[in-house]
Amino acid sequence: MTESIQRYHHGDLQATLLQAATQRLETHGIDGLSLRKLAEDLGVSRTAPYHHFKDKNALLSAIAAQGFAQWHDVAKQIFEQHEVPAAKRLRVFIKNYIGFAAANPQMYELMFGRTLWQQGAASEDLKNVAYPSFQYQVEMTRMWQQHELLPKEQDPVRLAQVTWGTLHGIARLLIDGIYADSSHIEEMCDCAAALFIQHKTDC
Amino acid sequence: MTESIQRYHHGDLQATLLQAATQRLETHGIDGLSLRKLAEDLGVSRTAPYHHFKDKNALLSAIAAQGFAQWHDVAKQIFEQHEVPAAKRLRVFIKNYIGFAAANPQMYELMFGRTLWQQGAASEDLKNVAYPSFQYQVEMTRMWQQHELLPKEQDPVRLAQVTWGTLHGIARLLIDGIYADSSHIEEMCDCAAALFIQHKTDC
DNA sequence: AAGGCTATGTTGACAGTGTCAAGATAATTA
DNA sequence: TAATTATCTTGACACTGTCAACATAGCCTT
């Protein structure tokens, strides 16, 4: 039988759903992602997805989890280039963080927005993927402190929250189109780096 | 006739709607704010609000506009206390910014979140209220640069975007409950101030 | 191989949403 | 007083997520 013939069982609906949903997320946004439309697109009934994801939130969490894994890979790759000077790595990290957000705005919104996190409603699964990513931020901050790029006397956790907060905030302002547009990404990143980095003559 | 008697015309539905909606926003969140429920609460039919607000977005924009006015007052009051040292004012400003967000999380989300701003969908009315508030941020930044609290060589606009971004980011992390909770607000503000302010011995 | 269990997919239904159209009533204006 | 406008009403539509009940396919055990 050819693949075009409609079978009762889809075969791999879970993975297909996840893939289609991820795609649709970026084009239509979180609110524009409708389970029913998604099902229709895949030629499957409205409630079929519910056999693979508890509810819409579970599907969104699964998408976000992919995003976290994806980002974590990027961060790790940058951070572990030991041959590159730490200051350079910090700058590259900043640009990649903002770049990731700007390139995948809806995914970023999903990963770090209110939809999944508001009032501690995030699922355990999501937390398990996200928290290591947060921890990694602290770890990097600690290293930058050791390299005296960031003030040594500050608590690493607080400092990570503030530096990460800065990137998060810039990303949000860009994504949401609030008093910042993507044509100035480079300059904003440079400005953020300049503000962070302890003043040395060759910065 | 007493006020308890149901009249065909409400009398001041526009203002009452705005007030009730603002209240309901903080308790139920943006998505939990339903025009129908709102109308029902006010003892008026489902579609009555549409004679005073074009659609849900217009109502939300009106609420946000109030928020901007409210915040602008606070910022102005802090900024214009010329007898207070600039460094102190900067610190007070930071704490008030985060404090405002923490005290009115849903309002903050509305004012600076994707709902109203995404893909440039913000109404002209909203922009007219919001942009001066953004401009004010630049103005303050410029002053802080003159006082050498922030690096003088940076472009004021970029710097404003970055410093504001920092506060925005911290606020969002707090509000959305992402790796930060309100028990550490003070410390985070202090840490942000320390990172911003050019290093002088008495900081 | 037969029978039963589980995973998966289906239709029907419900409550909820924003919003439009058409008509009713009150207030204001000419 | 008559006409126009502002306001409010019911009816209707399309859309959403999600539950319950039922159907089918595939696997697993006896």
Side-chain angles (χ1 to χ4, degrees):
Chain A
M1 74 178 84
T2 68
E3 298 188 33
S4 64
I5 290 188
Q6 283 215 357
R7 291 169 303 181
Y8 192 86
H9 282 74
H10 177 281
D12 197 6
L13 187 54
Q14 169 126 17
T16 312
L17 270 170
L18 197 53
Q19 189 184 336
T22 305
Q23 202 168 339
R24 205 181 167 89
L25 168 72
E26 215 52 67
T27 57
H28 292 73
I30 296 178
D31 293 332
L33 198 164
S34 147
L35 284 191
R36 295 175 95 115
K37 283 227 166 62
L38 206 60
E40 195 177 10
D41 278 6
L42 301 183
V44 96
S45 79
R46 303 153 257 148
T47 59
Y50 286 85
H51 290 273
H52 301 278
F53 299 97
K54 182 181 154 287
D55 53 21
K56 186 175 180 179
N57 232 276
L59 173 59
L60 291 175
S61 293
I63 300 175
Q66 283 187 321
F68 275 111
Q70 194 179 333
W71 165 244
H72 194 65
D73 283 351
V74 175
K76 214 172 164 188
Q77 205 198 326
I78 295 170
F79 186 61
E80 288 176 357
Q81 291 187 328
H82 301 287
E83 71 280 9
V84 177
K88 169 85 175 169
R89 270 184 283 167
L90 174 52
R91 269 186 254 267
V92 171
F93 177 80
I94 291 175
K95 283 197 178 135
N96 271 269
Y97 190 98
I98 304 295
F100 178 84
N104 316 287
Q106 303 291 347
M107 174 67 97
Y108 189 92
E109 163 73 46
L110 181 63
M111 288 166 64
F112 299 110
R114 84 185 130 99
T115 311
L116 295 179
W117 294 99
Q118 68 186 348
Q119 54 223 41
S123 70
E124 286 305 313
D125 284 357
L126 181 62
K127 285 181 184 169
N128 288 337
V129 192
Y131 281 167
S133 189
F134 301 166
Q135 279 303 121
Y136 202 69
Q137 190 83 19
V138 180
E139 203 177 315
M140 288 189 287
T141 302
R142 200 170 273 127
M143 190 206 70
W144 286 321
Q145 284 181 294
Q146 278 162 12
H147 282 79
E148 297 190 344
L149 295 168
L150 296 175
K152 253 183 168 172
E153 70 276 12
Q154 295 287 331
D155 174 14
V157 174
R158 298 285 155 268
L159 200 52
Q161 287 174 329
V162 172
T163 54
W164 179 28
T166 303
L167 302 184
H168 182 52
I170 293 174
R172 301 298 310 234
L173 292 183
L174 278 172
I175 289 176
D176 297 331
I178 303 177
Y179 200 59
D181 63 279
S182 48
S183 63
H184 296 120
I185 289 184
E186 284 278 325
E187 296 161 65
M188 291 173 69
C189 288
D190 290 341
C191 185
L195 195 63
F196 283 171
I197 295 177
Q198 302 285 307
H199 309 82
K200 299 185 180 179
T201 44
D202 61 333
C203 282
Chain B
M1 74 178 84
T2 69
E3 298 188 33
S4 63
I5 289 187
Q6 285 214 355
R7 291 169 302 184
Y8 193 86
H9 282 73
H10 178 281
D12 196 6
L13 187 53
Q14 170 128 16
T16 312
L17 269 170
L18 197 54
Q19 189 183 337
T22 306
Q23 202 167 340
R24 205 182 167 87
L25 168 72
E26 215 51 67
T27 57
H28 292 74
I30 297 177
D31 292 333
L33 198 163
S34 148
L35 284 191
R36 296 175 95 114
K37 283 229 166 64
L38 206 59
E40 195 178 9
D41 278 7
L42 300 184
V44 95
S45 79
R46 302 152 257 149
T47 60
Y50 285 86
H51 290 271
H52 302 277
F53 299 97
K54 181 182 153 287
D55 51 21
K56 186 175 180 179
N57 233 275
L59 174 57
L60 291 176
S61 292
I63 301 174
Q66 282 187 323
F68 275 110
Q70 195 179 332
W71 166 243
H72 194 66
D73 283 350
V74 175
K76 213 171 166 189
Q77 204 197 327
I78 295 171
F79 186 61
E80 288 176 356
Q81 290 189 326
H82 301 287
E83 70 280 9
V84 178
K88 169 85 176 168
R89 268 185 283 167
L90 174 52
R91 268 185 256 269
V92 171
F93 177 80
I94 291 174
K95 285 200 176 133
N96 271 269
Y97 189 98
I98 304 294
F100 178 83
N104 317 286
Q106 304 290 348
M107 175 66 98
Y108 188 91
E109 163 73 44
L110 182 63
M111 289 166 64
F112 299 111
R114 82 184 132 100
T115 311
L116 296 179
W117 295 97
Q118 67 186 348
Q119 52 223 42
S123 71
E124 285 306 313
D125 284 355
L126 181 62
K127 285 180 184 170
N128 287 338
V129 193
Y131 281 167
S133 189
F134 302 166
Q135 280 302 122
Y136 201 69
Q137 190 83 18
V138 180
E139 205 178 313
M140 286 190 288
T141 302
R142 200 170 272 127
M143 190 208 69
W144 286 322
Q145 283 181 295
Q146 279 163 11
H147 283 79
E148 298 191 343
L149 294 169
L150 295 175
K152 252 183 168 171
E153 71 278 11
Q154 294 288 332
D155 174 15
V157 175
R158 298 285 156 266
L159 201 51
Q161 287 173 329
V162 172
T163 54
W164 179 27
T166 303
L167 302 184
H168 182 51
I170 293 174
R172 302 297 310 231
L173 293 184
L174 279 171
I175 288 175
D176 297 332
I178 302 177
Y179 201 61
D181 62 279
S182 48
S183 62
H184 295 120
I185 289 183
E186 283 278 325
E187 295 161 65
M188 290 173 71
C189 288
D190 290 341
C191 186
L195 194 63
F196 283 170
I197 295 177
Q198 302 284 307
H199 308 83
K200 299 183 180 179
T201 44
D202 62 333
C203 284

